[in-house]
Amino acid sequence: MILTGDVGGTKTLLALHDDDGRLVVRRRYGSREAASFDALVARFLDEAAATPRLACFGVAGPVLGRRVKLTHLPWEIDAAALQSRFGLQAVGLLNDFAAAAHGIEALSAADLVTLQAGEPLPTRPKLVIGAGTGLGVAYVQADAVLSGEGGHAAFAPADAAQAELWQWLQQRLGRVQVEHVVSGRGVARIYEFLRARAPQAAAAAGAIMAADDPAAEIGRQALQEGDALSLAALDLFVSCYGALAGDHALTVLARGGVYVTGGIAPRLLPRLAAGGFLAAFNDKGADAPLTRACPVHVVTNPDLPLLGAARHAAVTLTPV
């Protein structure tokens, strides 16, 4: 049995899989419910009454070696300590988007919503990109996965509205990273930016910003209530997201496919599919034909990083 995890700053998913990687049980925890990751794993294994032999965790943070500190949570995860404490044969640590990238081949057609069919070339690289608490990026070439900290690259405005947003953020944050904009926190920042420009349009602003998850409330106000300022915030967010995804697709000519994953995309699917995402994705001047040839899919399966972690464990951690 294989233990896997998708470990983020807001939520942690822990799961058990059979030796072929098929998911058997999965549970969701608020990441701040436990003082440490070890304590959360102990709780899960106790609840599941399980004794796995292998473990692999996708972690939202820079993985270099067998230790990692989460970017948005004061947790340090030590693979050797976990292996010893829980009697595991082997423990692997992956960046969360490396785990997602390893899971792409486990997806079915039902797990995808295609925004752009493109002109697929299976031998070309795949791009996996997704916004949640932060922003993750990974590239796939055949069985090789390359991930890093793409969410901390500099945000490059693509038009006048984004340039104004950049200036507003730079005055408050200093260096503006892409995940300051393309993330759940980014949705809330964009809303605040627009509210500052048109305070009379923000009747629901107090309740929105006081919510436990302002980004989710902005999405609800936009998609369910038709709130004009929330809709404007989503449209600017979607435009920034599409432009960024297009830049990464252009970087590697991702004709193998662009996979938009993370917690936000499935919830905002109606807005992503409305056209603004692809308009920004393909707004590349003379190079637009290159991005229009890239297939673009939204991944709706929330277990992608778990599937990838299990697949990676089964292939690389099992003794030959």
Side-chain angles (χ1 to χ4, degrees):
M1 186 167 285
I2 303 170
L3 167 67
T4 66
D6 178 13
V7 188
T10 301
K11 72 177 190 326
T12 292
L13 302 177
L14 292 174
L16 293 167
H17 307 249
D18 64 22
D19 288 346
D20 292 324
R22 287 185 290 268
L23 198 150
V24 176
V25 62
R26 175 185 74 107
R27 292 190 181 167
R28 183 188 192 279
Y29 301 94
S31 293
R32 298 184 186 275
E33 291 180 16
S36 68
F37 181 64
D38 296 41
L40 202 59
V41 171
R43 175 181 167 185
F44 172 70
L45 293 179
D46 183 61
E47 292 172 353
T51 53
R53 64 186 186 89
L54 301 175
C56 187
F57 305 107
V59 184
V63 177
L64 297 170
R66 303 202 70 205
R67 296 172 65 103
V68 58
K69 182 185 181 301
L70 269 74
T71 301
H72 296 290
L73 198 67
W75 278 0
E76 291 191 13
I77 299 176
D78 185 317
L82 288 168
Q83 185 173 335
S84 175
R85 176 173 177 179
F86 297 106
L88 295 157
Q89 292 179 14
V91 175
L93 297 178
L94 298 170
N95 173 267
D96 56 340
F97 268 77
H102 280 291
I104 291 297
E105 295 303 320
L107 296 175
S108 69
D111 297 318
L112 303 174
V113 174
T114 298
L115 301 182
Q116 176 169 280
E119 299 170 16
L121 287 176
T123 58
R124 291 299 306 169
K126 299 179 177 70
L127 165 67
V128 183
I129 185 168
T133 302
L135 176 81
V137 180
Y139 305 110
V140 183
Q141 178 64 53
D143 290 330
V145 169
L146 179 64
S147 68
E149 290 298 307
H152 301 302
F155 171 62
D159 57 28
Q162 292 181 27
E164 287 186 43
L165 172 63
W166 178 91
Q167 186 174 43
W168 186 85
L169 289 169
Q170 195 273 338
Q171 291 170 353
R172 288 156 178 78
L173 301 174
R175 179 178 181 268
V176 184
Q177 303 174 14
V178 288
E179 79 167 26
H180 288 152
V181 178
V182 184
S183 66
R185 296 176 187 184
V187 172
R189 290 187 181 108
I190 291 170
Y191 181 88
E192 289 186 285
F193 161 69
L194 294 177
R195 180 177 65 166
R197 297 173 73 195
Q200 71 280 0
I208 286 174
M209 298 312 296
D212 290 339
D213 185 347
E217 182 60 18
I218 290 164
R220 190 190 72 80
Q221 288 284 341
L223 300 179
Q224 297 181 24
E225 306 297 332
D227 176 67
L229 191 65
S230 298
L231 282 166
L234 285 196
D235 285 344
L236 183 50
F237 168 79
V238 165
S239 179
C240 293
Y241 201 168
L244 175 66
D247 286 345
H248 279 281
L250 193 60
T251 299
V252 294
L253 295 180
R255 294 276 293 275
V258 174
Y259 295 83
V260 183
T261 182
I264 291 178
R267 296 202 301 266
L268 300 186
L269 189 54
R271 218 63 190 169
L272 289 176
F277 183 92
L278 283 182
F281 183 91
N282 292 319
D283 185 16
K284 304 303 177 194
D287 296 313
L290 298 175
T291 54
R292 282 198 293 266
C294 296
V296 181
H297 313 283
V298 175
V299 178
T300 58
N301 187 331
D303 297 327
L304 176 63
L306 300 176
L307 297 173
R311 184 172 179 265
H312 181 74
V315 171
T316 66
L317 300 182
T318 301
V320 177

